[in-house]
Amino acid sequence: MDRPASPAPHSDVRLLALIMESETEARIATADRLAEAGFEVLEAWSAQSALLQIERHPMLRLVVVDADLSGSGTRFALTCEIARNRPDLAVVALSAGPAPSEGELPEEVRFAAKPLSPALAREALAQLSA
């Protein structure tokens, strides 16, 4: 489902981000944080819907993934699949559980504890806008 978002400050072009979160309240809160930072935000509630959104939106720049998504195999399976298939994307894995072990995530994937902080959302926008 696409959600309209506020434009990035001092910019006519908003970077496109996808939040993949199975819990509705957490998905909405994360989407709101990304929108407040200046992203245009798409939402996905399952691994299948996330992969479909990624395929449909070649201009996508950031994917925030629920690392604890049940039914996706191992804990970081979807995150690793996205990083492997779309190395052009910035990927953040969010989790309410423990941090990943060394080597469990690709080097370019950022891990953060849930919920996504406004500071991390702004930092991602700044890095992708540079």
Short mmCIF file of all heavy atoms in Angstrom, two decimals, residues 55-94:
data_model
loop_
_atom_site.label_atom_id
_atom_site.label_comp_id
_atom_site.label_asym_id
_atom_site.label_seq_id
_atom_site.Cartn_x
_atom_site.Cartn_y
_atom_site.Cartn_z
N GLU A 55 10.40 -5.08 -6.69
CA GLU A 55 10.41 -5.35 -8.12
C GLU A 55 9.70 -4.24 -8.91
O GLU A 55 10.15 -3.84 -9.98
CB GLU A 55 9.72 -6.70 -8.38
CG GLU A 55 9.73 -7.13 -9.83
CD GLU A 55 9.02 -8.46 -10.00
OE1 GLU A 55 9.29 -9.39 -9.22
OE2 GLU A 55 8.19 -8.55 -10.93
N ARG A 56 8.61 -3.74 -8.38
CA ARG A 56 7.79 -2.74 -9.07
C ARG A 56 8.37 -1.32 -9.03
O ARG A 56 7.96 -0.48 -9.81
CB ARG A 56 6.40 -2.69 -8.45
CG ARG A 56 5.55 -3.84 -8.81
CD ARG A 56 4.17 -3.67 -8.23
NE ARG A 56 3.32 -4.78 -8.60
CZ ARG A 56 2.14 -4.99 -8.11
NH1 ARG A 56 1.62 -4.15 -7.22
NH2 ARG A 56 1.42 -6.02 -8.50
N HIS A 57 9.27 -1.05 -8.11
CA HIS A 57 9.74 0.31 -7.89
C HIS A 57 11.26 0.40 -8.03
O HIS A 57 12.00 0.42 -7.04
CB HIS A 57 9.30 0.82 -6.51
CG HIS A 57 7.82 0.89 -6.36
ND1 HIS A 57 7.08 1.92 -6.89
CD2 HIS A 57 6.93 0.04 -5.80
CE1 HIS A 57 5.80 1.71 -6.64
NE2 HIS A 57 5.69 0.58 -5.99
N PRO A 58 11.75 0.52 -9.27
CA PRO A 58 13.20 0.58 -9.48
C PRO A 58 13.84 1.83 -8.88
O PRO A 58 15.06 1.85 -8.69
CB PRO A 58 13.34 0.55 -11.01
CG PRO A 58 12.02 0.99 -11.53
CD PRO A 58 11.00 0.58 -10.52
N MET A 59 13.07 2.86 -8.57
CA MET A 59 13.61 4.09 -7.98
C MET A 59 13.72 3.99 -6.45
O MET A 59 14.15 4.94 -5.80
CB MET A 59 12.76 5.30 -8.37
CG MET A 59 12.71 5.54 -9.87
SD MET A 59 14.35 5.71 -10.63
CE MET A 59 14.89 7.22 -9.86
N LEU A 60 13.37 2.86 -5.90
CA LEU A 60 13.45 2.65 -4.45
C LEU A 60 14.90 2.83 -4.00
O LEU A 60 15.83 2.39 -4.67
CB LEU A 60 12.97 1.23 -4.15
CG LEU A 60 12.69 0.86 -2.71
CD1 LEU A 60 11.56 1.70 -2.15
CD2 LEU A 60 12.32 -0.61 -2.63
N ARG A 61 15.10 3.51 -2.86
CA ARG A 61 16.45 3.77 -2.37
C ARG A 61 16.73 3.13 -1.01
O ARG A 61 17.87 2.84 -0.69
CB ARG A 61 16.66 5.28 -2.23
CG ARG A 61 16.55 6.06 -3.52
CD ARG A 61 17.69 5.77 -4.51
NE ARG A 61 19.00 5.96 -3.95
CZ ARG A 61 19.65 7.12 -3.87
NH1 ARG A 61 19.09 8.21 -4.33
NH2 ARG A 61 20.85 7.19 -3.34
N LEU A 62 15.69 2.94 -0.18
CA LEU A 62 15.88 2.44 1.18
C LEU A 62 14.80 1.40 1.48
O LEU A 62 13.64 1.59 1.15
CB LEU A 62 15.75 3.58 2.19
CG LEU A 62 15.71 3.21 3.67
CD1 LEU A 62 17.06 2.65 4.14
CD2 LEU A 62 15.32 4.42 4.51
N VAL A 63 15.23 0.30 2.12
CA VAL A 63 14.28 -0.71 2.60
C VAL A 63 14.56 -0.92 4.08
O VAL A 63 15.70 -1.17 4.48
CB VAL A 63 14.41 -2.05 1.84
CG1 VAL A 63 13.43 -3.07 2.39
CG2 VAL A 63 14.18 -1.85 0.35
N VAL A 64 13.51 -0.80 4.88
CA VAL A 64 13.59 -1.07 6.31
C VAL A 64 12.81 -2.36 6.54
O VAL A 64 11.61 -2.43 6.24
CB VAL A 64 13.00 0.09 7.14
CG1 VAL A 64 13.07 -0.23 8.62
CG2 VAL A 64 13.74 1.39 6.83
N VAL A 65 13.50 -3.39 7.04
CA VAL A 65 12.94 -4.74 7.13
C VAL A 65 12.78 -5.18 8.57
O VAL A 65 13.71 -5.04 9.38
CB VAL A 65 13.86 -5.75 6.40
CG1 VAL A 65 13.27 -7.15 6.44
CG2 VAL A 65 14.12 -5.32 4.97
N ASP A 66 11.63 -5.74 8.89
CA ASP A 66 11.41 -6.39 10.18
C ASP A 66 12.20 -7.69 10.18
O ASP A 66 11.85 -8.64 9.48
CB ASP A 66 9.91 -6.66 10.35
CG ASP A 66 9.58 -7.45 11.60
OD1 ASP A 66 10.47 -7.66 12.45
OD2 ASP A 66 8.42 -7.86 11.73
N ALA A 67 13.29 -7.73 10.95
CA ALA A 67 14.14 -8.91 10.98
C ALA A 67 13.46 -10.10 11.64
O ALA A 67 13.86 -11.24 11.45
CB ALA A 67 15.44 -8.59 11.73
N ASP A 68 12.43 -9.83 12.41
CA ASP A 68 11.76 -10.89 13.16
C ASP A 68 10.53 -11.43 12.44
O ASP A 68 9.70 -12.10 13.05
CB ASP A 68 11.36 -10.36 14.54
CG ASP A 68 12.56 -9.83 15.30
OD1 ASP A 68 13.60 -10.52 15.31
OD2 ASP A 68 12.47 -8.73 15.85
N LEU A 69 10.40 -11.16 11.15
CA LEU A 69 9.25 -11.62 10.37
C LEU A 69 9.15 -13.13 10.43
O LEU A 69 10.08 -13.84 10.06
CB LEU A 69 9.40 -11.16 8.92
CG LEU A 69 8.33 -11.64 7.96
CD1 LEU A 69 6.99 -11.00 8.31
CD2 LEU A 69 8.72 -11.31 6.54
N SER A 70 8.03 -13.61 10.93
CA SER A 70 7.85 -15.06 11.00
C SER A 70 7.51 -15.59 9.61
O SER A 70 6.93 -14.90 8.79
CB SER A 70 6.74 -15.42 11.98
OG SER A 70 5.53 -14.82 11.58
N GLY A 71 7.91 -16.81 9.36
CA GLY A 71 7.60 -17.45 8.09
C GLY A 71 8.57 -17.12 6.97
O GLY A 71 8.35 -17.52 5.84
N SER A 72 9.65 -16.40 7.26
CA SER A 72 10.60 -16.06 6.19
C SER A 72 11.89 -16.88 6.31
O SER A 72 12.91 -16.49 5.77
CB SER A 72 10.91 -14.56 6.22
OG SER A 72 11.58 -14.22 7.42
N GLY A 73 11.83 -18.00 7.01
CA GLY A 73 13.03 -18.82 7.17
C GLY A 73 13.80 -18.37 8.39
O GLY A 73 13.22 -18.11 9.44
N THR A 74 15.10 -18.22 8.25
CA THR A 74 15.91 -17.75 9.37
C THR A 74 15.60 -16.28 9.65
O THR A 74 15.01 -15.59 8.83
CB THR A 74 17.41 -17.92 9.08
OG1 THR A 74 17.76 -17.14 7.95
CG2 THR A 74 17.76 -19.38 8.84
N ARG A 75 16.06 -15.82 10.77
CA ARG A 75 15.72 -14.49 11.26
C ARG A 75 16.00 -13.37 10.26
O ARG A 75 15.22 -12.46 10.10
CB ARG A 75 16.48 -14.25 12.56
CG ARG A 75 16.14 -12.97 13.24
CD ARG A 75 16.69 -12.99 14.64
NE ARG A 75 16.48 -11.71 15.25
CZ ARG A 75 17.42 -10.99 15.83
NH1 ARG A 75 18.64 -11.48 15.91
NH2 ARG A 75 17.14 -9.83 16.34
N PHE A 76 17.12 -13.40 9.58
CA PHE A 76 17.50 -12.32 8.66
C PHE A 76 17.41 -12.75 7.19
O PHE A 76 18.03 -12.14 6.33
CB PHE A 76 18.91 -11.83 8.97
CG PHE A 76 19.03 -11.19 10.33
CD1 PHE A 76 19.63 -11.87 11.38
CD2 PHE A 76 18.53 -9.92 10.55
CE1 PHE A 76 19.75 -11.28 12.63
CE2 PHE A 76 18.63 -9.33 11.80
CZ PHE A 76 19.24 -10.01 12.84
N ALA A 77 16.64 -13.80 6.89
CA ALA A 77 16.59 -14.34 5.52
C ALA A 77 16.14 -13.29 4.50
O ALA A 77 16.77 -13.13 3.46
CB ALA A 77 15.66 -15.55 5.48
N LEU A 78 15.06 -12.57 4.78
CA LEU A 78 14.56 -11.58 3.83
C LEU A 78 15.56 -10.44 3.67
O LEU A 78 15.83 -9.98 2.55
CB LEU A 78 13.20 -11.04 4.28
CG LEU A 78 12.58 -9.97 3.37
CD1 LEU A 78 12.35 -10.51 1.95
CD2 LEU A 78 11.29 -9.46 3.97
N THR A 79 16.13 -9.99 4.75
CA THR A 79 17.13 -8.91 4.70
C THR A 79 18.29 -9.31 3.81
O THR A 79 18.72 -8.53 2.95
CB THR A 79 17.64 -8.59 6.13
OG1 THR A 79 16.52 -8.31 6.96
CG2 THR A 79 18.59 -7.43 6.12
N CYS A 80 18.81 -10.51 3.99
CA CYS A 80 19.94 -10.99 3.19
C CYS A 80 19.55 -11.15 1.72
O CYS A 80 20.34 -10.81 0.83
CB CYS A 80 20.47 -12.30 3.75
SG CYS A 80 21.27 -12.10 5.37
N GLU A 81 18.35 -11.62 1.47
CA GLU A 81 17.88 -11.79 0.09
C GLU A 81 17.80 -10.43 -0.62
O GLU A 81 18.24 -10.29 -1.76
CB GLU A 81 16.52 -12.47 0.06
CG GLU A 81 15.98 -12.68 -1.35
CD GLU A 81 14.65 -13.40 -1.39
OE1 GLU A 81 14.21 -13.95 -0.37
OE2 GLU A 81 14.04 -13.40 -2.47
N ILE A 82 17.26 -9.44 0.05
CA ILE A 82 17.15 -8.10 -0.54
C ILE A 82 18.54 -7.53 -0.81
O ILE A 82 18.81 -7.01 -1.90
CB ILE A 82 16.33 -7.16 0.37
CG1 ILE A 82 14.87 -7.62 0.41
CG2 ILE A 82 16.43 -5.71 -0.11
CD1 ILE A 82 14.05 -6.96 1.50
N ALA A 83 19.44 -7.63 0.16
CA ALA A 83 20.79 -7.10 -0.01
C ALA A 83 21.52 -7.80 -1.15
O ALA A 83 22.27 -7.16 -1.91
CB ALA A 83 21.57 -7.24 1.30
N ARG A 84 21.32 -9.09 -1.30
CA ARG A 84 21.97 -9.86 -2.36
C ARG A 84 21.41 -9.50 -3.74
O ARG A 84 22.16 -9.33 -4.70
CB ARG A 84 21.80 -11.36 -2.08
CG ARG A 84 22.48 -12.27 -3.09
CD ARG A 84 22.33 -13.76 -2.74
NE ARG A 84 20.94 -14.17 -2.61
CZ ARG A 84 20.34 -14.47 -1.45
NH1 ARG A 84 21.01 -14.40 -0.31
NH2 ARG A 84 19.08 -14.84 -1.42
N ASN A 85 20.09 -9.39 -3.84
CA ASN A 85 19.46 -9.15 -5.13
C ASN A 85 19.42 -7.70 -5.57
O ASN A 85 19.30 -7.41 -6.75
CB ASN A 85 18.03 -9.72 -5.14
CG ASN A 85 18.03 -11.23 -5.05
OD1 ASN A 85 18.94 -11.89 -5.52
ND2 ASN A 85 17.00 -11.77 -4.43
N ARG A 86 19.49 -6.77 -4.61
CA ARG A 86 19.45 -5.33 -4.93
C ARG A 86 20.55 -4.61 -4.15
O ARG A 86 20.29 -3.87 -3.22
CB ARG A 86 18.08 -4.74 -4.59
CG ARG A 86 16.93 -5.09 -5.51
CD ARG A 86 16.98 -4.41 -6.87
NE ARG A 86 17.10 -2.96 -6.82
CZ ARG A 86 16.07 -2.11 -6.76
NH1 ARG A 86 14.84 -2.56 -6.76
NH2 ARG A 86 16.28 -0.82 -6.70
N PRO A 87 21.82 -4.82 -4.55
CA PRO A 87 22.92 -4.18 -3.83
C PRO A 87 22.90 -2.66 -3.92
O PRO A 87 23.60 -1.99 -3.16
CB PRO A 87 24.17 -4.77 -4.48
CG PRO A 87 23.72 -5.28 -5.81
CD PRO A 87 22.28 -5.66 -5.65
N ASP A 88 22.07 -2.11 -4.80
CA ASP A 88 21.95 -0.66 -4.93
C ASP A 88 21.10 -0.04 -3.82
O ASP A 88 21.10 1.17 -3.65
CB ASP A 88 21.33 -0.30 -6.28
CG ASP A 88 19.95 -0.94 -6.48
OD1 ASP A 88 19.83 -2.18 -6.29
OD2 ASP A 88 19.01 -0.21 -6.83
N LEU A 89 20.39 -0.87 -3.06
CA LEU A 89 19.50 -0.37 -2.01
C LEU A 89 20.24 -0.25 -0.68
O LEU A 89 21.05 -1.10 -0.32
CB LEU A 89 18.32 -1.32 -1.80
CG LEU A 89 17.31 -1.41 -2.92
CD1 LEU A 89 16.28 -2.50 -2.62
CD2 LEU A 89 16.62 -0.08 -3.15
N ALA A 90 19.88 0.80 0.07
CA ALA A 90 20.29 0.87 1.47
C ALA A 90 19.28 0.01 2.24
O ALA A 90 18.08 0.11 2.01
CB ALA A 90 20.25 2.31 1.96
N VAL A 91 19.77 -0.84 3.12
CA VAL A 91 18.90 -1.75 3.85
C VAL A 91 19.16 -1.61 5.35
O VAL A 91 20.31 -1.62 5.79
CB VAL A 91 19.12 -3.22 3.43
CG1 VAL A 91 18.19 -4.16 4.20
CG2 VAL A 91 18.93 -3.39 1.93
N VAL A 92 18.06 -1.47 6.11
CA VAL A 92 18.13 -1.43 7.56
C VAL A 92 17.28 -2.58 8.09
O VAL A 92 16.11 -2.72 7.71
CB VAL A 92 17.58 -0.10 8.13
CG1 VAL A 92 17.55 -0.12 9.65
CG2 VAL A 92 18.40 1.08 7.63
N ALA A 93 17.86 -3.41 8.94
CA ALA A 93 17.13 -4.50 9.59
C ALA A 93 16.77 -4.03 11.00
O ALA A 93 17.64 -3.65 11.77
CB ALA A 93 17.99 -5.75 9.66
N LEU A 94 15.47 -4.04 11.31
CA LEU A 94 14.99 -3.66 12.64
C LEU A 94 14.59 -4.91 13.40
O LEU A 94 14.00 -5.83 12.82
CB LEU A 94 13.78 -2.75 12.55
CG LEU A 94 13.95 -1.36 11.98
CD1 LEU A 94 12.61 -0.62 11.99
CD2 LEU A 94 14.97 -0.57 12.77
#
